[in-house]
Amino acid sequence: MVTGSAPTDKGSFTLEDVSVTYGSETAIAGVSMEIAPTAVTALIGPSGCGKSTLLRCLNRMNDELGNARVGGTILLDGIDIYTSDYDPVELRTKVGQVFQKPNPFPMSIYDNVAYGPRTQGIRRRTELDDVVERSLRRSALWGEVKKDLKKHAFELSGGQQQRLCIARALATEPEVVLMDEPASSLDPISTQQIEDTIAELKAHVTIVIVTHNMQQAARISDQTAFMLRESMDHPAFLVEMGETRTMFTNPGDTRTEAYITGRFG
Amino acid sequence: MARQSSPISVSFRRTDTMPTPSSSRRRLGRPAKSRAADGVVRSIIRLNGWSAIVILAAIGIFLAYGGMRALSEVGFWTMMSGREWYPTIAEPRFGFVPLLIGSAAVTITALLLSMPVSLAAAVFISEFAGKPLKEVSKSIIEFMAAVPSVVYGLIGIAVVVPWVKETFALDSGLNALTAAIVLAFMIAPTIVSISEDALHAVPNELRQGSLALGNTRWQTTYKVVLPSASSGILAAVMLGMGRAIGETMAVLMLTGNAARIPGSLFESVRTITGTIAAEMGNVVQGGLHQSVLFTLGLVLFALTFFINLVADLVLERQRKRWRR
């Protein structure tokens, strides 16, 4: 019984000719794509092909790196998120992120999940209790921690910590959750649990996931985008994007086929 | 049999260099020279470690030895609880209380003045300053630590003494407050650089995590970064305190050196360090007064040792925390 409250038609991205430049180096260029709402979109490609960079464009975390410049247009539900009066802090309450390494804050499980809602001004204990329980249920951690919410987050296992981070991201009721290789530092059982969680979440939330694991992309995603950087002199680009089933059985580009079948990368 | 240069031994050796499981055994056969060198370096390092401990213990023993006469003739608790310090009259009084209060007043006031500014500076340097500004401020702060304390004393006499005298309409600007103000500047580099280290040690993933949840940089700083670095910051303050208690020259120049229990910060005080420095030159060798000053030194040594020990333990805990 998952009780997400995000409207099901929200959380779509439209990217037009997106490029990212670090100082004088253009990391990615000419990326245009549609990210469907309440579905899982996987970004795949070899290391260094700009998947994570593209992901960070979607919640403007590139802004925090100082020397990154984003070109082109990115629309969230039809609204340009890169105009000067669009507040990136506001954006990040709608577009949450789960990182590669679990990064719980050094505080209790409860306080970790309540962190975002408290920032948004929710102070009432009953309301916070509700959010914490709902978020932990959605990330499938509730059963394991409900008796001990005051426990320090560092006492959890790696897989539990990552599901805590998912709960933390869900607590602000985002429309989109970005995941940057969320299972790459976890064991197979924890990976399975994360994948199950993603499968449940997509009914209410848009998920964009970067992964190096082809089987994982094939298992969990609805859409797959394949990116490539052919040499360090040229920026990375989007090779092709399509329905995951088509991409994995009948890719349009020979480079996609070569990558998916493990011939390089 | 493999030692002889028979054809068998040659072929044996050749297979041995190939990456077979047995090749790992070769590591045991490290040349004796390398093993000997390793042993020598180990014992030199061990010697260094122990010598630090031995020297520290020797200082304590030396001070206790020098203070033996005072400890037996006056008594430790008589000194520690005596409220009067008249070391040179016919029937001398060796009460440490005015000196302990003098040191405490100057140290605590200096800490209270220095802490907010120093912590703000550390937070700015670690969390908000751009790279060039960060480098510049760090070197300025390091330079502040390198200025000799007598120079701070001179600046105090030239600038702070008249300012305190006028601002608070006092007869003299030589008092606890003046010394504390100058001391606040002197301990700032310690507090800033160690707190900055502690803030810097907070993993970047935590900042990213907080920003990604829709927090501003400032919210991220005070809700996640500062609490994560709290034990390191506490240690920074403790080390600053250790430095403040031990500081001698500047306080000697600025406190006014009246050895009596002060009624307020606007009164002249005398610190433990100032007393030792000012009186040690005028005592009779082997006399009771000299012995009392040694005891005073022992008290100071114990105080700073304890403060630094606690600070170190706290810092060690902080380090372990991020070594996951």
Side-chain angles (χ1 to χ4, degrees), chain B residues 195-211:
Chain B
S195 320
E196 204 268 328
D197 285 348
L199 293 167
H200 187 77
V202 175
N204 236 336
E205 288 89 27
L206 292 185
R207 293 186 185 85
Q208 302 249 323
S210 174
L211 289 171

Side-chain angles (χ1 to χ4, degrees), chain B residues 54-69 71 276 280 285 290-291 293-299 301:
Chain B
V54 168
I55 289 170
L56 200 65
I59 292 173
I61 292 166
F62 172 76
L63 288 172
Y65 181 76
M68 227 147 64
R69 191 175 157 197
L71 289 167
I276 298 173
M280 204 47 134
Q285 281 292 321
Q290 188 195 37
S291 184
L293 291 182
F294 267 98
T295 312
L296 198 53
L298 188 66
V299 171
F301 176 72

Side-chain angles (χ1 to χ4, degrees), chain B residues 180-196:
Chain B
I181 291 171
V182 175
L183 209 48
F185 282 97
M186 298 177 69
I187 62 174
T190 307
I191 301 182
V192 174
S193 58
I194 295 172
S195 320
E196 204 268 328

Side-chain angles (χ1 to χ4, degrees), chain A residues 98 139 162-171 179 194 197 201:
Chain A
V98 176
S139 74
Q162 193 63 304
R163 278 179 286 147
L164 176 64
C165 292
I166 294 175
R168 190 176 68 184
L170 292 171
M179 297 189 174
I194 301 275
T197 305
L201 286 178

Side-chain angles (χ1 to χ4, degrees), chain B residues 140-163:
Chain B
I140 291 175
I141 283 156
E142 270 156 34
F143 177 74
M144 271 177 79
V147 174
S149 62
V150 68
V151 174
Y152 277 104
L154 286 173
I155 296 170
I157 286 177
V159 182
V160 186
V161 170
W163 180 79

